[in-house]
Amino acid sequence: MEPILKGRGLVKRYGKVTALDNCDFDLYPGEILAVIGDNGAGKSSLIKAVSGAVIPDEGDVFLEGRKVKFTSPTDARKEGIETVYQTLAMSPALSIADNMFMGRELRKPGFRGKILRQLDRSRMEQIARDKLTELGLMTIQNINQAVETLSGGQRQGVAVARAAAFGSKVIILDEPTAALGVKESRRVLELIQDVRARGIPIILISHNMPHVFEVADRIHVHRLGKRLCVIDPKDYTMSDAVAFMTGAKQAPDLAA
Amino acid sequence: MEPILKGRGLVKRYGKVTALDNCDFDLYPGEILAVIGDNGAGKSSLIKAVSGAVIPDEGDVFLEGRKVKFTSPTDARKEGIETVYQTLAMSPALSIADNMFMGRELRKPGFRGKILRQLDRSRMEQIARDKLTELGLMTIQNINQAVETLSGGQRQGVAVARAAAFGSKVIILDEPTAALGVKESRRVLELIQDVRARGIPIILISHNMPHVFEVADRIHVHRLGKRLCVIDPKDYTMSDAVAFMTGAKQAPDLAA
Amino acid sequence: MAGHADDYESVIKTTKSEDVAKFAAHRKGALSKLQHALHVNPALVPLFVLLASIAVFGLLLGSKFFSPFALTLILQQVQIVGIVAAAQSLVVLTAGIDLSVGAIMVLSSVVMGQFTFRYGLPVEVAIALGLVCGMICGYINGWLIAVMKLPPFIVTLGMWQIVLATNFLYSSNETIRAQDIEANAPLLQVFATKFNVGGAVFTVGVVFMVVLMLFLSYVLKQTAWGRHVYAVGDDPEAAQLSGVNVKGVLISVYVISGLICAFAGWALIGRIGSVSPTSGQLANIESITAVVIGGISLFGGRGSILGALFGALIVGVFTLGLRLAGADAQWTFLLIGALIIGAVAVDQWIRKVSA
Amino acid sequence: MAGHADDYESVIKTTKSEDVAKFAAHRKGALSKLQHALHVNPALVPLFVLLASIAVFGLLLGSKFFSPFALTLILQQVQIVGIVAAAQSLVVLTAGIDLSVGAIMVLSSVVMGQFTFRYGLPVEVAIALGLVCGMICGYINGWLIAVMKLPPFIVTLGMWQIVLATNFLYSSNETIRAQDIEANAPLLQVFATKFNVGGAVFTVGVVFMVVLMLFLSYVLKQTAWGRHVYAVGDDPEAAQLSGVNVKGVLISVYVISGLICAFAGWALIGRIGSVSPTSGQLANIESITAVVIGGISLFGGRGSILGALFGALIVGVFTLGLRLAGADAQWTFLLIGALIIGAVAVDQWIRKVSA
Amino acid sequence: EAHGASACLITKTDTNPFFVKMREGAEAAAAEAGMTLRSYAGKVDGDHETQVAAIETCIADGASGILLTASDTSSIVGAVTQAREAGLLVIALDTPLSPIDAADATFATDNFLAGELIGKWAAAKLGDGAADAKIAMLDLAVSQPSVDVLRDQGFLQGFGIELGDPNVIGDEDDARIVGNDITAGNEEGGRKAMENLLAVDPMINVVYTINEPAAAGAYEALKSFGRENDVLIVSVDGGCPGVQNIADGVIGATAQQYPLLMASKGIEAIAAFAADGTKPQNTEGKDFFDTGVALVTDEPADGVDSISVAEGTDLCWG
Ligand SMILES: Nc1ncnc2c1ncn2[C@@H]1O[C@H](COP(=O)(O)OP(=O)(O)OP(=O)(O)O)[C@@H](O)[C@H]1O
Ligand SMILES: Nc1ncnc2c1ncn2[C@@H]1O[C@H](COP(=O)(O)OP(=O)(O)OP(=O)(O)O)[C@@H](O)[C@H]1O
Ligand SMILES: O[C@@H]1[C@H](O)[C@H](O)CO[C@H]1O
Ligand SMILES: [Mg+2]
Ligand SMILES: [Mg+2]
């Protein structure tokens, strides 16, 4: 099968630091691919390179077999690739609804929308509220609250809800549950499975091994800026995975 | 036994949002107190109120039985209370060593230090390197790297290392392992236990139940801005704790 | 491999139908409501300061100040700064600053005048070219800032000098006299057209200023482009990552700012009658003052453009009020200086109380 | 209750003695080393621009420009801006801006002069009081910014007007003539004292500027206070949470800035011979220009103070160079505008390449 | 009876001692006539909008008349007309409006004449040397306000240099002009401009300056190059420090104006107008009331009338 999203020979350097060192990467249709690795291994750099947030120094990215050159996240979004970055990418002073619909606002129907270009605030707010409720983020008291007034976890929930609502081809989640509570994390995992059920493949970066092993179809182990191996969670234990990614144990061949 | 750090009737409001709603809080000498609760329950607000980062609207904080009024984190630090905030509180453009020693820089011995007030950079760098190595944060390639160039997890590691190095009376950690990898999280847990072995009590906010149950002596369950109950991890299961904090199950009396 | 022993997370599956948490509301009556209103709509704060200062000067000076003549005079005196402040507000909302506004305004007015009188172009064409001139200057600013990623302060500082020098070199410092304009190209003075509304005299320029502000306020609040302006000012990196065309927004903001400045140049001809290349030297500082007194953050992303209108009016009220009260020029400058600090302090204070 | 089944975390306990990861180093020789040097020490970028512009004008104009005469002249012409730029740099590093620098400078020099001549105080005392005057102005700025939390732009905009008006009101715009000062209080002119070093003529003022810059550069890099200045500029909230006395640092920065401006006022007396209340009107814009051309970020926390010295010199080199090349005042004005943009563009470009 | 009437004084700036004196003169005359005086000023030279706003304020304030030194002599005409239509007497001080009859009267020095006087004097001083003089022109500002142009061009004409466009500074192509630079009318600018021009040609021997502070700055520059004794500096204003500078050899000659006189005459005229509506008359044969300009120097030159420093000191700021 042809990977839906593929990276080959990706290199990204920051001054003296090599974040991606000739890295390959494959995501197959309909799967949940987990990416695991030490802090600083280059996981975020990898997904930034495939989602247009950084332009790799070398290497190519292929979407459905076509070579693509994303120069901004907007390019990737236009292709249906939606990403939750580790830094969340929210405008702190704007409201939750504003943030969720940033760059794809809904306009009122008819004259007011077409000619006056007026936004349909109530519809956007309603949708935002629904998405957050789906995630169980029920402690948010006011949908018009500025994002900067949310707790760390609430903020992350909003970002995940945004990606899930809009991704049509690939959804990338960089540590989506890092700041989430037990309940909210669980909802995100359920959401991930819902999304896969809709046929959309997902890349999930996470340090939470039980979560990874619960939902992933394949696990990409990242180490020192490159793909060390890809394993099937049914064939290996969490201990094995941790041992590979920390270098405690020799990794198997790339297969899986 | 008298709590070393105590809060009574703490209230903190942000506009229409009530983050702390008449909340009590106790930390006893030598213990690890975990604080758990949903996103937005008010955990961060609580520890900010007891560490001087926000001034509560109402209520009192007691340190070793004395009523204290911290008006800034510096006040609390002077009393030996060291905090890792959820936002990490680092100066992005400054180096790791600069950040670790911010506010308590080491000066060179003799004339150059006393009169010229020159900093002892090499000593600070050495100590910073040692502390990071203790935490197993070995992917950091350059101790003079600006903090903004670190990965999310590396940054968190630096913040934890700073608190552990300087806290003398109480150490407060707000989700210290949220962005950390498996290996690095483990090191932080070990570090927490080391610190307790030195007799210093710790407040640990975390959403990771296995970690909480592994290290905590008591668990403060926070819900809707107040302390719901305090439980002993030996008497309850993780399921119980989660059920209490999400409101799925009636909480026991405050005891424990 | 999902089977780790204590399946504590399963607890949650039973609790899906929870309600939004409700904390006890705490209300303290009228004052608290006012605070909340000010907090939700921060443009009200400068409006409040404005009304307070009108009241104070009204009490102090009586009918001299509190007459339709004096009050509409203030409107006429602030119209240019007000229009320029609209341009400045857009830029400041993107966390920029535009020091070249006054220079662009003057160059545009000189283009309108000289193209009519020196080259004999139809006045409509000359005016259109003047507006285009403003947009070009704005485009250069925007391109340098958005594409070359240079800091706005520097770009517009440089452009200020470049545009102003171009203006002097091109115009040879020649003024086009009001009488000539009146005779040959009255359209240039159209912003001076007066009409009477119940004793108060308004000019087209004043109406233009108010309508422009209302229009931009609508655009900023009710359209996607407006939200993007705020997002770019708030955190450009986040805006970029969440799909805003940051470059496009920045360039459009500077082009529109240039266009508004060119309109200000047209209005300036109406206000002073003639085309004078030495006007507008203080427009940048004055517009920034209006913007900040109006509560728009210089760090971008926060504030309402109507605040800038109120900010301009506050300065106008103070200036006229102090003059009528007999303060001499240096005392007026000194007191306006104190006002600037005072107005922002009040603003800050109200926000803090209501936070 | 630590017993959850798959104890995968135990794997790690065996791997404690790992080494620091090493990626393959990629080196591209001399150019790459230069880039790295520029990246590590960004003050080198404006130095580079400075040397390049000296070289260009030297080639263009030959010995007319490349003479000890012309080169030391530049130093003398930039000394006042250079000193003020030192003050401005400190403020800008804290993410502030000081529009009142020129006004404080002039008021301090007027105090030194008038206290000597009007009240007959011993000149040393008058000078000391002039320095105190600068510090008081700085303190007011700092207090409003740090304690009242008002934006620096607004506070110093207001103070600019207040201090300048005070200056004019107090001095009645009267100049104290150079000849009177020479006869009665030569200490006021001490910054003009000349000495010869190998054909080049230096003044105390020039030496003061250079020593001040080197001293501040040491303080900023090598002392705790210096690191705190950067931290406050970088992220004041983070600095506060990590134990920096943000208010204290801010107030001290503005007080020191005021003191340096007062020294600039003293140096100004040396430079122009007389005490003149109308000087220094452009000192704020010129010092900010120097600071930004020198690569210090207006958003705070980034840049080296030596950059500001180079920035001031770059402007000085261009101004004199263009005059020598025959540009008239209006063209020079225009070209300096272009230079400002150009210098920052080069700076940005070098940084990008080396990032 | 003018008692109780009020008048306005609007100057270009009030940071220039010239205007400070003008205001003092007006205040004294107003006090004597029992009138109230309100004074206004622009922030910088060329700040036209503030002057327009000031005229409007005077109308709102119900003043009887306005004394105005206009920053922009033709643009201000609209506002002046509005004031006159509202029944105010408008008198231009120091700087004539364009057209001059836009004001009810003009009490002024002739700035072009002032420049011409010092130009003639400098040429006469140099004698034959005038043919190969090296002249530095220290002007006011890049915006070239009208005083700047008038004095500069007057000086050149007086010196015997052919003008280009008489409304533009710096378009002459006489080789004797080393260059023009701007001073902002203060010492700092004067010194820097002088240094710049000395770098162009160190052998400059005639320096025209827009005003006396600029001249003092230019002198400091010359002094630092040891050339203060072989250069002729001329200036305009005749302020007390400026006249003293002639005595001290800093300036060779200056064209003295009389701001106090302008102001007091102006107030008297407004008082008369307020009392019975009479309007002031022009000087015989001129279209304005000439308050006079005199060349002050202790080295009189043939063919140029001048007064001594002693006389100048008596009259300074008069
Ligand atoms: N903008 C940058 N400038 C310089 N270095 C950077 C930058 N971004 C990342 N790096 C470096 O690149 C390396 C890889 O970073 P990256 O963020 O991809 O790691 P990660 O695997 O996502 O780590 P984590 O699990 O902690 O998020 C790190 O060493 C980091 O310091
Ligand atoms: N500065 C602020 N302004 C307004 N509201 C705030 C602010 N800080 C916190 N809040 C609100 O207070 C409530 C408690 O927030 P807090 O950060 O204490 O929660 P938390 O328990 O730490 O959550 P998390 O686990 O997600 O970190 C939230 O509803 C949040 O939106
Ligand atoms: O017109 C004025 C006066 O004539 C005086 O010389 C001051 O400077 C000019 O602007
Ligand atoms: Mg990452
Ligand atoms: Mg929290």
Short mmCIF file of all heavy atoms in Angstrom, two decimals, chain A residues 12-15 17-20 37-46 48 86 174-175 205 207 222, chain B residues 139-141 145 148-155 179-181, chain D residues 23, ligand 1:
data_model
loop_
_atom_site.label_atom_id
_atom_site.label_comp_id
_atom_site.label_asym_id
_atom_site.label_seq_id
_atom_site.Cartn_x
_atom_site.Cartn_y
_atom_site.Cartn_z
N LYS A 12 16.88 18.75 9.18
CA LYS A 12 16.62 20.11 9.68
C LYS A 12 17.67 20.45 10.74
O LYS A 12 17.85 19.72 11.70
CB LYS A 12 15.22 20.21 10.30
CG LYS A 12 14.88 21.59 10.84
CD LYS A 12 14.64 22.60 9.74
CE LYS A 12 14.87 24.03 10.21
NZ LYS A 12 14.78 24.99 9.09
N ARG A 13 18.39 21.53 10.46
CA ARG A 13 19.42 21.95 11.42
C ARG A 13 19.05 23.30 12.01
O ARG A 13 18.52 24.16 11.33
CB ARG A 13 20.77 22.13 10.72
CG ARG A 13 21.35 20.85 10.20
CD ARG A 13 22.76 21.06 9.70
NE ARG A 13 23.09 19.96 8.80
CZ ARG A 13 22.91 19.99 7.49
NH1 ARG A 13 22.45 21.08 6.91
NH2 ARG A 13 23.20 18.94 6.75
N TYR A 14 19.31 23.44 13.30
CA TYR A 14 19.20 24.75 13.95
C TYR A 14 20.59 25.14 14.42
O TYR A 14 21.06 24.61 15.42
CB TYR A 14 18.26 24.68 15.15
CG TYR A 14 16.83 24.40 14.81
CD1 TYR A 14 16.28 23.14 14.99
CD2 TYR A 14 16.01 25.41 14.31
CE1 TYR A 14 14.95 22.91 14.68
CE2 TYR A 14 14.69 25.17 14.00
CZ TYR A 14 14.17 23.92 14.18
OH TYR A 14 12.85 23.68 13.89
N GLY A 15 21.27 26.01 13.69
CA GLY A 15 22.63 26.36 14.09
C GLY A 15 23.45 25.09 14.21
O GLY A 15 23.55 24.30 13.27
N VAL A 17 22.75 22.59 16.16
CA VAL A 17 21.94 21.44 16.55
C VAL A 17 21.28 20.81 15.31
O VAL A 17 20.68 21.49 14.50
CB VAL A 17 20.84 21.89 17.53
CG1 VAL A 17 19.93 20.72 17.88
CG2 VAL A 17 21.45 22.48 18.78
N THR A 18 21.42 19.50 15.18
CA THR A 18 20.74 18.80 14.10
C THR A 18 19.49 18.15 14.67
O THR A 18 19.57 17.19 15.43
CB THR A 18 21.65 17.71 13.49
OG1 THR A 18 22.87 18.35 13.11
CG2 THR A 18 21.01 17.09 12.28
N ALA A 19 18.32 18.70 14.33
CA ALA A 19 17.08 18.20 14.91
C ALA A 19 16.56 17.00 14.12
O ALA A 19 16.02 16.07 14.69
CB ALA A 19 16.04 19.30 14.95
N LEU A 20 16.74 17.03 12.80
CA LEU A 20 16.36 15.90 11.96
C LEU A 20 17.58 15.51 11.14
O LEU A 20 18.17 16.33 10.46
CB LEU A 20 15.23 16.28 11.00
CG LEU A 20 13.84 16.41 11.59
CD1 LEU A 20 12.87 16.77 10.49
CD2 LEU A 20 13.43 15.11 12.27
N GLY A 37 9.66 8.81 21.44
CA GLY A 37 11.10 9.09 21.48
C GLY A 37 11.41 9.99 22.65
O GLY A 37 10.52 10.64 23.21
N ASP A 38 12.69 10.03 22.99
CA ASP A 38 13.13 10.89 24.10
C ASP A 38 12.79 12.35 23.86
O ASP A 38 12.56 12.76 22.73
CB ASP A 38 14.66 10.79 24.24
CG ASP A 38 15.08 9.60 25.05
OD1 ASP A 38 14.20 8.98 25.69
OD2 ASP A 38 16.28 9.29 25.04
N ASN A 39 12.85 13.12 24.91
CA ASN A 39 12.76 14.57 24.75
C ASN A 39 13.93 15.03 23.90
O ASN A 39 15.07 14.64 24.11
CB ASN A 39 12.87 15.28 26.10
CG ASN A 39 11.65 15.06 26.97
OD1 ASN A 39 11.74 14.64 28.12
ND2 ASN A 39 10.49 15.33 26.41
N GLY A 40 13.61 15.85 22.94
CA GLY A 40 14.67 16.38 22.09
C GLY A 40 15.09 15.45 20.98
O GLY A 40 16.04 15.73 20.25
N ALA A 41 14.38 14.33 20.83
CA ALA A 41 14.76 13.38 19.79
C ALA A 41 14.47 13.94 18.39
O ALA A 41 15.06 13.49 17.41
CB ALA A 41 14.02 12.06 19.99
N GLY A 42 13.55 14.88 18.32
CA GLY A 42 13.25 15.47 17.02
C GLY A 42 11.84 15.15 16.52
O GLY A 42 11.54 15.34 15.35
N LYS A 43 10.99 14.71 17.41
CA LYS A 43 9.62 14.35 17.00
C LYS A 43 8.85 15.57 16.51
O LYS A 43 8.25 15.55 15.43
CB LYS A 43 8.87 13.71 18.18
CG LYS A 43 9.57 12.51 18.79
CD LYS A 43 8.81 11.93 19.97
CE LYS A 43 8.68 12.90 21.15
NZ LYS A 43 9.96 13.30 21.77
N SER A 44 8.90 16.63 17.30
CA SER A 44 8.16 17.83 16.89
C SER A 44 8.74 18.39 15.61
O SER A 44 8.01 18.86 14.73
CB SER A 44 8.23 18.89 17.98
OG SER A 44 7.57 18.45 19.15
N SER A 45 10.04 18.35 15.49
CA SER A 45 10.66 18.85 14.27
C SER A 45 10.17 18.05 13.06
O SER A 45 9.93 18.61 11.99
CB SER A 45 12.19 18.74 14.37
OG SER A 45 12.66 19.47 15.47
N LEU A 46 10.02 16.74 13.26
CA LEU A 46 9.56 15.90 12.16
C LEU A 46 8.16 16.30 11.71
O LEU A 46 7.91 16.52 10.52
CB LEU A 46 9.56 14.42 12.62
CG LEU A 46 8.89 13.43 11.66
CD1 LEU A 46 9.64 13.40 10.31
CD2 LEU A 46 8.83 12.04 12.26
N LYS A 48 6.64 19.06 12.22
CA LYS A 48 6.64 20.41 11.65
C LYS A 48 7.08 20.36 10.19
O LYS A 48 6.57 21.10 9.34
CB LYS A 48 7.56 21.32 12.45
CG LYS A 48 6.93 21.79 13.75
CD LYS A 48 7.83 22.84 14.41
CE LYS A 48 7.32 23.19 15.79
NZ LYS A 48 8.39 23.81 16.58
N GLN A 86 2.74 21.41 19.55
CA GLN A 86 3.01 21.28 20.97
C GLN A 86 2.79 22.62 21.68
O GLN A 86 2.36 22.68 22.82
CB GLN A 86 4.46 20.81 21.16
CG GLN A 86 4.69 20.09 22.47
CD GLN A 86 6.03 19.39 22.50
OE1 GLN A 86 6.78 19.37 21.53
NE2 GLN A 86 6.36 18.81 23.63
N ASP A 174 0.56 16.56 18.38
CA ASP A 174 1.84 16.54 19.09
C ASP A 174 1.57 16.63 20.59
O ASP A 174 1.27 17.70 21.11
CB ASP A 174 2.71 17.73 18.61
CG ASP A 174 4.16 17.57 19.07
OD1 ASP A 174 4.45 16.63 19.84
OD2 ASP A 174 5.00 18.39 18.64
N GLU A 175 1.66 15.52 21.25
CA GLU A 175 1.40 15.42 22.69
C GLU A 175 0.08 16.07 23.08
O GLU A 175 0.04 16.99 23.91
CB GLU A 175 2.57 16.04 23.48
CG GLU A 175 3.89 15.41 23.05
CD GLU A 175 5.01 15.68 24.03
OE1 GLU A 175 4.72 15.97 25.20
OE2 GLU A 175 6.17 15.57 23.62
N ILE A 205 1.89 11.91 18.64
CA ILE A 205 3.13 11.92 19.41
C ILE A 205 2.73 11.90 20.86
O ILE A 205 1.88 12.67 21.30
CB ILE A 205 3.95 13.20 19.12
CG1 ILE A 205 4.31 13.26 17.64
CG2 ILE A 205 5.20 13.24 19.99
CD1 ILE A 205 5.18 14.43 17.28
N HIS A 207 4.16 10.66 25.07
CA HIS A 207 5.08 10.00 25.99
C HIS A 207 4.34 9.01 26.89
O HIS A 207 4.94 8.40 27.75
CB HIS A 207 5.78 11.04 26.87
CG HIS A 207 6.72 11.93 26.13
ND1 HIS A 207 7.81 11.45 25.45
CD2 HIS A 207 6.75 13.28 25.96
CE1 HIS A 207 8.47 12.45 24.90
NE2 HIS A 207 7.84 13.59 25.18
N HIS A 222 11.51 7.11 17.40
CA HIS A 222 12.41 8.16 16.93
C HIS A 222 13.58 8.28 17.89
O HIS A 222 13.41 8.25 19.10
CB HIS A 222 11.62 9.48 16.90
CG HIS A 222 12.10 10.44 15.88
ND1 HIS A 222 11.81 10.33 14.54
CD2 HIS A 222 12.86 11.57 15.98
CE1 HIS A 222 12.36 11.32 13.87
NE2 HIS A 222 13.01 12.10 14.73
N THR B 139 20.17 14.82 26.23
CA THR B 139 20.12 15.22 24.83
C THR B 139 20.41 16.71 24.65
O THR B 139 20.46 17.20 23.54
CB THR B 139 18.75 14.90 24.22
OG1 THR B 139 17.75 15.37 25.11
CG2 THR B 139 18.58 13.42 23.99
N ILE B 140 20.57 17.42 25.76
CA ILE B 140 20.91 18.83 25.62
C ILE B 140 22.38 18.93 25.20
O ILE B 140 23.27 18.40 25.86
CB ILE B 140 20.66 19.58 26.94
CG1 ILE B 140 19.16 19.67 27.15
CG2 ILE B 140 21.29 20.96 26.91
CD1 ILE B 140 18.76 20.31 28.45
N GLN B 141 22.56 19.54 24.08
CA GLN B 141 23.90 19.49 23.49
C GLN B 141 24.79 20.62 23.96
O GLN B 141 25.99 20.57 23.85
CB GLN B 141 23.78 19.50 21.96
CG GLN B 141 23.08 18.25 21.45
CD GLN B 141 22.76 18.29 19.96
OE1 GLN B 141 23.54 18.81 19.17
NE2 GLN B 141 21.62 17.75 19.58
N GLN B 145 22.98 27.06 25.29
CA GLN B 145 21.85 27.21 24.39
C GLN B 145 20.78 28.10 25.02
O GLN B 145 20.56 28.02 26.24
CB GLN B 145 21.24 25.82 24.20
CG GLN B 145 20.95 25.41 22.80
CD GLN B 145 20.60 23.93 22.74
OE1 GLN B 145 21.31 23.09 23.30
NE2 GLN B 145 19.51 23.62 22.07
N GLU B 148 14.85 29.03 24.58
CA GLU B 148 13.85 28.95 23.53
C GLU B 148 14.19 27.92 22.45
O GLU B 148 13.32 27.53 21.68
CB GLU B 148 13.64 30.31 22.88
CG GLU B 148 14.85 30.82 22.14
CD GLU B 148 14.72 32.31 21.79
OE1 GLU B 148 13.60 32.81 21.74
OE2 GLU B 148 15.76 32.94 21.59
N THR B 149 15.43 27.49 22.40
CA THR B 149 15.79 26.48 21.39
C THR B 149 15.64 25.06 21.92
O THR B 149 15.94 24.10 21.21
CB THR B 149 17.23 26.67 20.89
OG1 THR B 149 18.12 26.41 21.99
CG2 THR B 149 17.48 28.08 20.39
N LEU B 150 15.21 24.91 23.16
CA LEU B 150 15.06 23.55 23.71
C LEU B 150 13.71 22.97 23.31
O LEU B 150 12.74 23.70 23.09
CB LEU B 150 15.13 23.60 25.23
CG LEU B 150 16.47 24.02 25.82
CD1 LEU B 150 16.38 24.07 27.33
CD2 LEU B 150 17.58 23.07 25.38
N SER B 151 13.65 21.65 23.28
CA SER B 151 12.35 21.01 23.04
C SER B 151 11.51 21.20 24.30
O SER B 151 12.01 21.50 25.38
CB SER B 151 12.53 19.53 22.74
OG SER B 151 12.75 18.81 23.93
N GLY B 152 10.18 21.02 24.15
CA GLY B 152 9.28 21.23 25.27
C GLY B 152 9.72 20.44 26.51
O GLY B 152 9.73 20.97 27.62
N GLY B 153 10.10 19.23 26.31
CA GLY B 153 10.48 18.40 27.44
C GLY B 153 11.77 18.84 28.08
O GLY B 153 11.92 18.86 29.30
N GLN B 154 12.73 19.22 27.25
CA GLN B 154 14.01 19.68 27.78
C GLN B 154 13.79 20.89 28.68
O GLN B 154 14.38 21.04 29.74
CB GLN B 154 14.94 20.05 26.63
CG GLN B 154 15.37 18.83 25.80
CD GLN B 154 16.13 19.23 24.53
OE1 GLN B 154 15.87 20.27 23.94
NE2 GLN B 154 17.07 18.39 24.13
N ARG B 155 12.90 21.77 28.22
CA ARG B 155 12.64 22.97 28.97
C ARG B 155 12.08 22.64 30.36
O ARG B 155 12.45 23.20 31.36
CB ARG B 155 11.59 23.78 28.19
CG ARG B 155 11.87 25.22 28.14
CD ARG B 155 10.87 25.90 27.26
NE ARG B 155 11.21 25.77 25.85
CZ ARG B 155 10.65 26.53 24.91
NH1 ARG B 155 9.75 27.44 25.23
NH2 ARG B 155 11.00 26.38 23.65
N ALA B 179 5.42 17.23 29.98
CA ALA B 179 6.00 17.16 28.64
C ALA B 179 7.19 16.21 28.59
O ALA B 179 7.88 16.14 27.59
CB ALA B 179 6.42 18.56 28.20
N LEU B 180 7.43 15.51 29.69
CA LEU B 180 8.65 14.70 29.72
C LEU B 180 8.46 13.31 29.12
O LEU B 180 7.38 12.73 29.18
CB LEU B 180 9.14 14.56 31.16
CG LEU B 180 9.67 15.83 31.81
CD1 LEU B 180 10.31 15.51 33.15
CD2 LEU B 180 10.68 16.52 30.90
N GLY B 181 9.54 12.80 28.60
CA GLY B 181 9.56 11.44 28.08
C GLY B 181 9.56 10.43 29.22
O GLY B 181 9.64 10.80 30.39
N PHE D 23 25.65 14.59 17.62
CA PHE D 23 25.31 14.50 16.20
C PHE D 23 26.57 14.82 15.40
O PHE D 23 27.48 15.47 15.89
CB PHE D 23 24.23 15.52 15.85
CG PHE D 23 22.89 15.19 16.43
CD1 PHE D 23 22.40 15.90 17.51
CD2 PHE D 23 22.14 14.16 15.90
CE1 PHE D 23 21.16 15.60 18.05
CE2 PHE D 23 20.90 13.86 16.44
CZ PHE D 23 20.41 14.57 17.51
N1 LIG F 1 13.90 26.80 16.88
C1 LIG F 1 14.92 26.04 17.31
N2 LIG F 1 16.17 26.58 17.40
C2 LIG F 1 17.21 25.83 17.81
N3 LIG F 1 17.13 24.54 18.17
C3 LIG F 1 15.92 23.93 18.11
C4 LIG F 1 14.76 24.66 17.68
N4 LIG F 1 13.70 23.82 17.70
C5 LIG F 1 14.17 22.63 18.14
N5 LIG F 1 15.51 22.68 18.38
C6 LIG F 1 16.36 21.58 18.86
O1 LIG F 1 16.12 20.47 18.04
C7 LIG F 1 16.11 19.27 18.81
C8 LIG F 1 14.83 18.52 18.53
O2 LIG F 1 13.73 19.26 19.06
P1 LIG F 1 12.23 18.75 18.98
O3 LIG F 1 11.37 19.82 19.54
O4 LIG F 1 11.94 18.27 17.59
O5 LIG F 1 12.25 17.49 19.98
P2 LIG F 1 11.04 16.54 20.43
O6 LIG F 1 11.40 15.17 20.04
O7 LIG F 1 9.76 17.09 19.94
O8 LIG F 1 11.14 16.68 22.03
P3 LIG F 1 9.96 16.72 23.14
O9 LIG F 1 9.50 15.37 23.37
O10 LIG F 1 10.67 17.25 24.35
O11 LIG F 1 8.92 17.65 22.62
C9 LIG F 1 16.28 19.68 20.26
O12 LIG F 1 17.62 19.42 20.65
C10 LIG F 1 16.02 21.15 20.28
O13 LIG F 1 16.87 21.79 21.21
#
